Amino acid sequence: RSGSTVTMNPISLNLVARSYDSGGAVFNVRAFGAVGDGSTDDTSAFSSAISAAGAGGTVLLPPGHYRVDTPMRLSVPVTLWGTSGATWLHTPGNMAIDMFTRARVSGVAFTGSTRSTAAGNAITLNTGASDSVVENCSFTSFTRAIYAAGNVTAQRVTIRGNSFVTCDYAILLTG
């Protein structure tokens, strides 16, 4: 109606985390021990949340700065969903996420440590990454933000609504 006002009250993330973590299809990384303070290594919590989500599940990244020191392998159809303020801090190494079939990464801010060769890739698309989606993410300070090389056979990969800042290559496909 014309002239109507709708007021939305903020929802507590703690309440949302408790309701999501009670056996539903969404798994909050904080419920698996992620701290999100930018200095604690949250790798184990991410790995556990991704395993728990399994095929078809969603891993929720609430606001925070998550340091993940080991690449996460999305080998089943899982969604990583970042809320506003969720930042994945990438330490030097090859990649942050190793992506396979029907995986989805949405709304995550990826920040590399430097823009050197050691910063590597934020997301690597592997053979079989078909029907995967990378959307509404931001990538800062990477050599290659999204990368697919060599004999990668992937079809129907969607990359949309992303931003790239201080990356040598936003999207690099070689072969």
Side-chain angles (χ1 to χ4, degrees):
R1 277 184 317 196
S2 178
S4 296
T5 301
V6 176
T7 303
M8 300 289 289
N9 293 322
I11 298 173
S12 164
L13 274 178
N14 292 330
L15 175 63
V16 173
R18 281 194 301 272
S19 64
Y20 283 155
D21 297 330
S22 60
V26 178
F27 299 85
N28 187 323
V29 293
R30 290 199 185 253
F32 291 86
V35 177
D37 64 1
S39 60
T40 303
D41 181 4
D42 293 317
T43 300
S44 179
F46 271 67
S47 181
S48 295
I50 290 168
S51 292
T58 296
V59 175
L60 173 69
L61 285 65
H65 297 281
Y66 301 98
R67 193 183 105 208
V68 182
D69 291 346
T70 304
M72 292 292 106
R73 185 179 183 120
L74 303 183
S75 56
V76 296
V78 66
T79 296
L80 291 181
W81 178 43
T83 60
S84 180
T87 302
W88 183 305
L89 301 175
H90 179 60
T91 55
N94 187 31
M95 72 192 86
I97 296 177
D98 197 10
M99 211 164 163
F100 291 84
T101 300
R102 294 187 319 272
R104 176 182 295 261
V105 179
S106 182
V108 179
F110 291 92
T111 301
S113 56
T114 62
R115 201 179 53 144
S116 67
T117 303
N121 318 322
I123 296 177
T124 299
L125 301 171
N126 277 292
T127 294
S130 299
D131 301 308
S132 293
V133 178
V134 179
E135 64 185 354
N136 305 320
C137 294
S138 65
F139 301 89
T140 304
S141 298
F142 283 95
T143 306
R144 299 164 299 271
I146 301 172
Y147 181 59
N151 354 353
V152 171
T153 305
Q155 300 174 354
R156 299 170 306 279
V157 174
T158 303
I159 300 171
R160 64 177 167 227
N162 300 293
S163 65
F164 305 89
V165 177
T166 327
C167 295
D168 291 337
Y169 299 94
I171 302 168
L172 181 60
L173 309 174
T174 63

